[in-house]
Amino acid sequence: MTAGGAVPGPDGRLRCPWGLSTADYVTYHDEEWGRPVHGDDALFERLCLEAFQSGLSWITILRRREGFRTAFDGFRIASVAEFGDAERERLLADEGIIRNRAKIDATLANAKLLAGWAEGELDELIWSYAPDPETRPAPRTVADVPAVTDESTALSKALKKRGLRFIGPTTAYALMQACGLVDDHVRDCVSRGGGK
C-alpha cells in the first residue's frame, strides 16, 4: 500500500482513501463514482450537482442530494425549464439545498437551454469527450489524479460555447469522474474498472 493508494475498509476490501472517510462516501464510492451515467436528465443532475459543489466539499452536496432532487423536480430538464420567478424564490428559500443565487440561476438557465436540444444530444456531447481508457494508466495514488485535463478543458469550452453556465474545466473533470467518462479509482481499489 502506497501513501495515498488504496486502503482497506472495515470489510477488508481496498478502496480509494477518500471513499472511507464517511459512511456516505463508502456507498457513493462503491456504487456510483466512476460508473457510466447516460441519459440527458441523469447527466443534467450530475452537471447541476457538480456546479453546486464548486467551492464546497462533495459530502455537503451528497448529503443534500435528495433535497436537491425534490427541489428541482428530479432534475427533469423539461420540468425545470418551466420554472419561473415563484419557483426561483422557493429555491432561494429552500434550506434543503445550497441557496446560492448564481448557481440556482445557472441551473434554471441551463435547463431552459437544454430543453431546446434534441433528445440524447447532451449525452452524446458529454460522452464525445471521454478519453480512450487505454491512454490513461490507473493512478497509483490520489496524488496521481488530476484536477483538470485537456479533455475536461475542451468539454467545458464546448458546453460554454453552447450557452451552458457554471461549468469550468475543474467542474467538467469532476463530472467526467463522477459519470464514468474516466476511471480515477486508484490502481488497487476494488471499484477500479467498475468493480469487476
Side-chain angles (χ1 to χ4, degrees), residues 74-190:
F75 288 100
R76 289 189 292 275
I77 294 169
S79 180
V80 178
E82 297 296 321
F83 283 18
D85 291 341
E87 288 85 2
R88 180 177 179 273
E89 291 307 311
R90 174 184 55 79
L91 292 167
L92 289 168
D94 190 335
E95 294 181 6
I97 66 170
I98 305 301
R99 296 172 292 171
N100 179 296
R101 185 177 308 274
K103 294 175 182 181
I104 288 170
D105 287 346
T107 299
L108 300 180
N110 288 346
K112 288 180 188 341
L113 179 74
L114 291 170
W117 289 22
E119 185 176 341
E121 191 172 352
L122 178 62
D123 188 303
E124 184 178 337
L125 177 63
I126 288 174
W127 276 90
S128 73
Y129 288 89
D132 179 353
E134 298 301 317
T135 66
R136 293 180 51 87
R140 293 182 67 224
T141 71
V142 292
D144 297 329
V145 177
V148 175
T149 63
D150 291 344
E151 293 89 357
S152 75
T153 300
L155 173 58
S156 171
K157 285 180 182 175
L159 291 169
K160 286 179 178 178
K161 185 176 181 181
R162 300 283 300 269
L164 289 160
R165 296 166 42 188
F166 237 99
I167 180 75
T170 303
T171 299
Y173 193 65
L175 175 76
M176 293 172 78
Q177 291 174 305
C179 295
L181 281 76
V182 296
D183 184 353
D184 276 344
H185 287 283
V186 295
R187 185 181 61 193
D188 297 322
C189 177
V190 68

Side-chain angles (χ1 to χ4, degrees), residues 5-19:
V7 294
D11 58 3
R13 297 166 64 197
L14 293 174
R15 292 181 176 86
C16 301
W18 66 266

Side-chain angles (χ1 to χ4, degrees), residues 35-58:
R35 306 284 173 109
V37 173
H38 285 282
D40 292 345
D41 289 345
L43 287 165
F44 175 62
E45 174 181 352
R46 301 322 193 285
L47 186 67
C48 295
L49 294 178
E50 294 296 347
F52 273 100
Q53 186 269 330
S54 181
L56 302 170
S57 67
W58 179 245

